[in-house]
């Protein structure tokens, strides 16, 4: 019992102490407040309205840099002292106060002009204290408070706020334009806040941000989860920003590559309390980069292959020539000593070496395509006339006719274009129908970005299933019994067309002839 009374006393004593403390605090605050007010009050005024006498305290005049006598004690002082942009509003306030018979306060903030031309923000408060019987104001008293510091601070705060709004807007615009997602992670609660773009990256509806662990378990690729822990550890240790690349799994199942920069925020004691970061989806860029590397590697490999083919075919010519020469010498010098079989075998050797020599030569030409290419203007009519002249023997032996309409002048690689036309014309004659004189028609169509040429013949034609095969190197449908050839011509032609950013294809029917089409880009200067 005694114990519980003592306990109560102690509690009461404690409460009293607390009340006293609070009172003291309140007193301190009140004192501070009144000091502040006194400090702000810069003067007072007393206006006898009908007498047009207007007392303005010298201390206020002094605040504005004037001696007492320099400012008249009359309402005329106002237009002289108040910034002219603020004067009308002040007059309006006064009129409202009078019209409401004092129920609307006269309380106005305006810029007052200092003698030196600068201005100060002054709060003017007043009240009509005497009215006549008709309700007209007779006397009004009030005071001025120097609120310049407060007002400037307010303006400063406003400016800072505006700058913040502008910056935020700019950030939002930039973030939206670049697709950056911004996140923050509260380290104490391990809770995240995402901006809208972050939800977009994960294909999530904009809602509550998933907490860190949920995000890690559901949206980060399992093989990359350890990277997140590592980067957080690194940032916390070094307190410097770190970059990281990891894969995420979106809600639609797509796996995307994300690049993130992580920053740490430190409190006043220098302890990390928050992580911030930007995320961007770089999947497309990586894919592009991968394709570029692949295409570069492919080009490199092709170059090496071409070089190999060139060297191999070039070096093969020499031993071939030797075989051919010695076969010739044996035939010439030892003919009498050889029987018929040996003679036939020698002939086989000569034929085979000739054929091989042609193949090797074809390969050599093929590997040289585009090596020393120079673009120039080509008059296709002239070019075809020259080819016709070169093929004079073949044409007359086969009683062939080469026909072409008026062909354009184009920009192309001259040597290569010549080989291309020649290959197609030679084939058109070579693969003629029995007992039919070959007729080869060449024409050209202008399309949007291409010239489309056609070389048409009335030859044996090509079966549908062979129409793609024939462009593969060494592919021949008709072996040497009917025509001579190496099977390189069309592969060669395809590479030449490729060099001109074009395509080559054939439309044909067995027994009815073929039309070979190829295109040449109008704009080869940028390729
Ligand atoms: P080649 O003419 O040396 O055999 P090509 O690469 O020029 O080699 O042609 C490949 C094959 O395509 C030829 O062997 C032939 O079977 C077929 N071909 C090409 N042009 C024609 C054509 N105008 N008419 C029919 N077949 C053709």
């Amino acid at each position: 019992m005694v114990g519980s009374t003592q306990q109560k006393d102690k509690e009461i004593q404690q409460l009293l102490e607390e009340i006293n403390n609070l009172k003291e605090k309140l007193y301190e605050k009140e004192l501070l407040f009144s000091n502040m007010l006194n400090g702000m009050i810069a003067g007072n005024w007393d206006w006898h309205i009908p007498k047009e006498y207007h007392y303005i305290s010298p201390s206020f005049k002094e605040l504005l840099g004037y001696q007492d006598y320099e400012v008249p004690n009359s309402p005329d002082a106002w237009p002289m002292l108040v910034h002219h942009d603020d004067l009308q509003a002040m007059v309006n306030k006064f009129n409202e106060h009078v019209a409401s018979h004092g129920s609307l306060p006269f309380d106005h903030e305006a810029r007052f002009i200092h003698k030196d031309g600068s201005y100060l923000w002054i709060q003017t408060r007043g009240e009509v204290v005497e009215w006549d019987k008709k309700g007209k104001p007779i006397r009004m008293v009030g005071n001025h408070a120097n609120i310049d510091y407060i007002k400037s601070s307010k303006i400063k705060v406003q400016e800072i706020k505006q700058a913040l709004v502008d910056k935020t807007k700019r950030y939002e615009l930039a973030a939206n334009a670049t697709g950056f997602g911004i996140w923050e992670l509260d380290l104490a609660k391990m809770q995240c806040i995402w901006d809208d773009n972050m939800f977009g990256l994960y294909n999530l509806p904009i809602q509550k941000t998933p907490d860190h662990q949920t995000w890690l378990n559901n949206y980060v690729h399992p093989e990359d989860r350890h990277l997140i822990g590592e980067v957080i550890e690194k940032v916390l240790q070094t307190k410097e920003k770190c970059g990281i690349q990891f894969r995420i799994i979106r809600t639609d199942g797509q796996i995307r590559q994300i690049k993130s920069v992580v920053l740490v925020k430190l409190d006043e004691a220098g302890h990390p309390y928050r992580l911030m970061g930007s995320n961007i989806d770089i999947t497309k860029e990586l894919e592009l980069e991968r394709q570029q590397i692949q295409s570069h590697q492919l080009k490199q490999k092709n170059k090496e292959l071409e070089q190999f083919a060139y060297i191999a075919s070039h070096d093969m010519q020499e031993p071939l020539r030797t075989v051919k020469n010695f076969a010739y010498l044996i035939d010439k010098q030892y003919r009498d000593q050889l029987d018929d079989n040996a003679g036939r075998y020698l002939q086989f050797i000569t034929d085979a070496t000739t054929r091989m020599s042609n193949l090797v030569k074809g390969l050599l030409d093929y590997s040289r395509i585009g090596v020393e290419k120079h673009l120039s203007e080509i008059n296709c009519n002239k070019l075809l006339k020259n080819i016709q002249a070169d093929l004079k023997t073949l044409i007359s032996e086969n009683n062939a006719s080469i026909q072409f309409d008026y062909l354009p002048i184009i920009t192309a690689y001259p040597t290569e274009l010549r080989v291309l036309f020649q290959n197609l014309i030679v084939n058109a004659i070579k693969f003629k129908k029995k007992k039919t004189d070959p007729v080869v028609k060449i024409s050209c169509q202008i399309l949007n970005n291409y010239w489309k040429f056609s070389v048409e013949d009335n030859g044996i034609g090509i079966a549908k299933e062979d129409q793609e095969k024939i462009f593969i190197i060494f592919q021949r449908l008709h072996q040497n019994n009917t025509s001579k050839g190496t099977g390189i011509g069309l592969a060669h032609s395809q590479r030449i067309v490729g060099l001109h950013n074009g395509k080559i294809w054939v439309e044909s029917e067995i027994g009815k002839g073929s039309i070979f089409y190829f295109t040449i880009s109008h704009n080869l200067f940028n390729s």
Side-chain angles (χ1 to χ4, degrees):
M1 195 57 187
V2 177
S4 77
T5 316
Q6 273 178 348
Q7 182 70 21
K8 280 259 175 287
D9 274 355
K10 215 175 165 188
E11 274 175 25
I12 288 167
Q13 197 60 38
Q14 216 170 340
L15 272 173
L16 267 175
E17 263 172 25
E18 278 173 20
I19 287 168
N20 273 337
N21 272 342
L22 279 174
K23 269 187 181 167
E24 244 168 66
K25 271 192 188 149
L26 199 64
Y27 175 71
E28 273 171 26
K29 283 261 182 279
E30 276 174 352
L31 202 68
L32 189 74
F33 185 63
S34 77
N35 281 345
M36 259 177 68
L37 266 182
N38 285 340
M40 274 166 41
I41 299 293
N44 50 14
W45 47 272
D46 190 344
W47 185 14
H48 293 260
I49 298 166
K51 285 188 203 163
E52 296 234 323
Y53 173 72
H54 192 8
Y55 165 78
I56 301 170
S57 64
S59 61
F60 182 59
K61 293 177 186 175
E62 208 177 296
L63 178 72
L64 298 176
Y66 294 101
Q67 302 278 358
D68 189 18
Y69 67 87
E70 288 180 287
V71 179
N73 282 331
S74 92
D76 295 343
W78 293 102
M80 170 185 162
L81 297 179
V82 180
H83 192 294
H84 117 280
D85 288 348
D86 298 346
L87 187 63
Q88 191 53 49
M90 198 167 183
V91 173
N92 293 347
K93 269 272 151 101
F94 167 72
N95 290 339
E96 280 169 17
H97 177 68
V98 172
S100 69
H101 205 74
S103 56
L104 287 176
F106 176 69
D107 185 344
H108 187 64
E109 290 175 2
R111 284 163 293 179
F112 277 64
I113 304 156
H114 192 278
K115 196 177 171 185
D116 67 10
S118 63
Y119 64 82
L120 289 172
W121 278 97
I122 302 289
Q123 183 175 36
T124 308
R125 285 200 187 111
E127 194 180 357
V128 174
V129 288
E130 266 181 62
W131 303 85
D132 70 6
K133 280 180 194 150
K134 288 181 186 162
K136 275 197 169 171
I138 290 180
R139 188 174 163 212
M140 189 171 180
V141 293
N143 57 44
H144 295 291
N146 180 359
I147 55 162
D148 196 61
Y149 177 71
I150 297 173
K151 193 75 184 176
S152 316
S153 307
K154 265 191 193 166
I155 291 170
K156 260 259 139 4
V157 167
Q158 200 55 39
E159 280 171 7
I160 291 170
K161 271 188 186 164
Q162 191 54 45
L164 205 65
V165 168
D166 291 349
K167 278 228 163 95
T168 312
K169 263 192 198 149
R170 243 180 289 152
Y171 146 70
E172 276 172 7
L173 279 175
N176 283 339
T178 54
F180 267 104
I182 304 290
W183 56 266
E184 283 188 36
L185 174 66
D186 182 324
L187 288 168
K189 298 178 193 154
M190 288 310 269
Q191 253 173 17
C192 239
I193 303 173
W194 286 1
D195 75 350
D196 293 356
N197 282 349
M198 280 293 288
F199 289 95
L201 286 179
Y202 290 85
N203 194 39
L204 276 167
I206 297 165
Q207 50 177 319
K208 197 173 169 288
T209 306
D211 67 57
H212 182 69
Q213 207 53 45
T214 312
W215 165 73
L216 199 63
N217 293 343
N218 294 316
Y219 303 116
V220 178
H221 194 287
E223 286 168 21
D224 292 352
R225 279 179 201 154
H226 67 102
L227 296 173
I228 307 293
E230 283 167 21
V231 79
I232 292 181
E233 206 173 307
K234 193 170 167 199
V235 170
L236 293 180
Q237 239 174 37
T238 60
K239 294 176 183 162
E240 277 177 12
K241 76 173 171 198
C242 282
I244 175 181
Q245 198 176 310
F246 60 98
R247 283 163 297 173
I248 60 164
I249 305 170
R250 286 161 48 107
T251 55
D252 55 11
Q254 285 186 38
I255 295 177
R256 297 287 189 140
Q257 290 280 357
I258 297 291
K259 190 172 163 186
S260 183
V261 175
V262 186
L263 303 167
V264 63
K265 283 202 149 190
L266 306 175
D267 61 16
E268 280 165 9
H271 300 306
Y273 71 98
R274 190 178 284 274
L275 294 181
M276 283 179 72
S278 61
N279 280 12
I280 181 109
D281 187 334
I282 53 161
T283 317
K284 265 190 201 156
E285 284 77 0
L286 285 182
E287 179 57 22
L288 212 71
E289 211 174 288
R290 196 186 60 78
Q291 280 173 5
Q292 274 168 354
I293 291 172
Q294 248 180 11
S295 125
H296 179 74
Q297 285 172 341
L298 207 70
K299 273 187 191 156
Q300 202 65 27
K301 276 265 159 307
N302 274 345
K303 242 189 195 160
E304 283 166 19
L305 269 174
E306 275 162 22
Q307 218 145 15
F308 168 75
Y310 175 74
I311 293 167
S313 43
H314 187 265
D315 292 357
M316 269 194 270
Q317 295 279 32
E318 190 45 42
L320 261 179
R321 257 197 297 273
T322 313
V323 173
K324 219 171 153 184
N325 287 345
F326 279 101
Y328 172 76
L329 283 176
I330 293 172
D331 189 36
K332 205 173 166 207
Q333 291 178 21
Y334 302 99
R335 187 74 184 157
D336 306 341
Q337 296 165 42
L338 297 173
D339 62 15
D340 285 351
N341 269 349
R344 261 207 339 271
Y345 297 156
L346 261 183
Q347 190 55 47
F348 285 152
I349 292 174
T350 311
D351 287 352
T353 45
T354 307
R355 193 167 143 60
M356 182 138 178
S357 173
N358 285 339
L359 278 172
V360 167
K361 193 180 165 303
L363 203 60
L364 198 64
D365 290 343
Y366 181 81
S367 67
R368 299 297 299 157
I369 298 172
V371 171
E372 283 157 20
K373 52 178 189 173
H374 302 289
L375 276 178
S376 62
E377 270 199 352
I378 302 162
N379 183 333
C380 294
N381 306 286
K382 275 192 189 162
L383 177 70
L384 279 173
K385 283 206 175 109
N386 288 340
I387 293 172
Q388 249 178 315
D390 287 353
L391 299 178
K392 213 166 111 195
T393 320
L394 182 78
I395 292 170
S396 64
E397 272 174 9
N398 290 281
N399 204 22
S401 96
I402 314 283
Q403 305 169 1
F404 48 91
D405 323 328
Y406 180 72
L407 297 173
I409 296 171
I410 67 169
T411 301
Y413 299 105
T415 316
E416 283 76 9
L417 194 71
R418 189 190 182 101
V419 172
L420 172 63
F421 272 120
Q422 196 162 308
N423 281 347
L424 296 177
I425 294 169
V426 168
N427 278 351
I429 300 173
K430 240 172 31 176
F431 299 105
K432 65 175 185 179
K433 264 193 304 210
K434 271 184 193 152
K435 295 183 192 152
T436 310
D437 290 344
V439 178
V440 188
K441 291 180 187 161
I442 299 144
S443 58
C444 180
Q445 239 183 305
I446 305 172
L447 300 180
N448 265 352
N449 301 312
Y450 296 95
W451 308 102
K452 184 180 168 190
F453 287 90
S454 61
V455 178
E456 183 178 353
D457 65 49
N458 56 345
I460 54 173
I462 303 160
K464 193 111 199 113
E465 63 273 20
D466 295 326
Q467 288 176 8
E468 282 186 17
K469 217 162 48 179
I470 53 172
F471 294 99
I472 299 169
I473 196 162
F474 300 134
Q475 285 285 338
R476 307 194 67 220
L477 306 175
H478 319 94
Q479 294 305 329
N480 349 347
N481 41 3
T482 51
S483 63
K484 286 182 192 161
T486 54
I488 292 176
L490 285 180
H492 206 146
S493 304
Q494 193 173 41
R495 281 198 69 193
I496 293 171
V497 171
L499 201 67
H500 291 85
N501 291 344
K503 281 183 189 157
I504 184 167
W505 70 100
V506 66
E507 286 173 9
S508 181
E509 231 180 285
I510 290 279
K512 288 198 173 165
S514 313
I515 311 177
F516 281 82
Y517 293 100
F518 66 88
T519 55
I520 304 269
S521 168
H522 283 174
N523 188 5
L524 288 171
F525 288 104
N526 299 330
S527 61

